[in-house]
Amino acid sequence: LVAAECNRKLGLHTNIDHLVVETLDEQGAPILGAEGQVVITDLSNYGMPFIRYANGDMATLSDRVCACGNPLPLMESIDGRKLDIIYAPNGARLPGEFFPHLLKDFPEIEKFQVRQEHLERIELLVVSRSGVKPATTTAIAKALNTYTGGSLAIDLRQVDTIPLTSSGKHRVVFNKLAGQ
């Protein structure tokens, strides 16, 4: 357990009583108040201590004090997984959580996966028994363009199935450009 929410629900209190929790910018320097890569040091786990272990999460740490009185530092937000961020040529970064929220409004989309292999485009794999309406494709592209300024092309491809990962999970976003 790295962090937990209190009853004020203004962020997550990081458990620095047994962990060192840091966020690092793209150059590897500690950062507060902006999204960074989470690294954890856990020396309490004698069987497998972690020293600056990058767990793949992106989060925002804060120096703000919570009104609940708990002195543990706050994690303002969990911003997604490093590998689940989509990058656009205009510098925009879309967290993986963007896509489930966007695509939930289109009932014909039963399952999907976003893949990015090139900075200028994404591939949207969609499972749909009834077929994806042209209006749906247009609405998805319009929403995407709102955040990327039209700098990111989308290729929607209907498929029969989306394979699970080797661990049996459905990965919503698959980005081969992680670290851009």
Side-chain angles (χ1 to χ4, degrees):
L1 183 64
V2 175
E5 190 174 52
C6 70
N7 62 356
R8 296 289 175 114
K9 300 187 184 308
L10 299 173
L12 303 168
H13 292 279
T14 57
N15 292 317
I16 63 165
D17 53 340
H18 68 279
L19 299 172
V20 176
V21 180
E22 302 172 86
T23 49
L24 306 179
D25 65 16
E26 293 177 5
Q27 289 72 43
I31 187 171
L32 280 178
E35 179 184 281
Q37 181 179 0
V38 176
V39 293
I40 300 167
T41 299
D42 179 1
L43 298 177
S44 298
N45 183 346
Y46 299 117
M48 178 66 78
F50 292 123
I51 300 174
R52 296 196 94 197
Y53 171 70
N55 71 354
D57 287 338
M58 302 294 286
T60 302
L61 294 180
S62 172
D63 58 0
R64 184 174 58 84
V65 176
C66 185
C68 75
N70 185 332
L72 296 174
L74 288 174
M75 182 179 289
E76 295 280 343
S77 61
I78 299 171
D79 304 318
R81 302 282 296 166
K82 184 175 181 182
L83 295 177
D84 291 344
I85 294 174
I86 294 296
Y87 301 94
N90 71 344
R93 295 169 22 156
L94 298 174
E97 293 81 7
F98 170 83
F99 295 96
H101 289 292
L102 169 65
L103 299 176
K104 72 178 177 0
D105 295 329
F106 303 102
E108 72 265 29
I109 296 177
E110 298 168 32
K111 197 173 195 181
F112 69 91
Q113 183 177 67
V114 179
R115 294 183 179 176
Q116 184 174 33
E117 294 185 20
H118 306 284
L119 183 61
E120 64 280 347
R121 70 183 332 98
I122 61 170
E123 183 178 39
L124 175 59
L125 303 179
V126 173
V127 175
S128 174
R129 286 191 199 107
S130 62
V132 178
K133 302 171 192 157
T136 297
T137 303
T138 301
I140 293 168
K142 182 178 178 183
L144 191 64
N145 287 336
T146 300
Y147 296 96
T148 66
S151 67
L152 187 63
I154 181 170
D155 296 328
L156 190 140
R157 194 166 59 112
Q158 292 189 55
V159 297
D160 293 329
T161 185
I162 296 172
L164 300 177
T165 65
S166 59
S167 63
K169 295 182 180 179
H170 172 64
R171 191 165 168 187
V172 175
V173 175
F174 183 74
N175 187 338
K176 291 187 176 180
L177 299 178
Q180 282 289 321

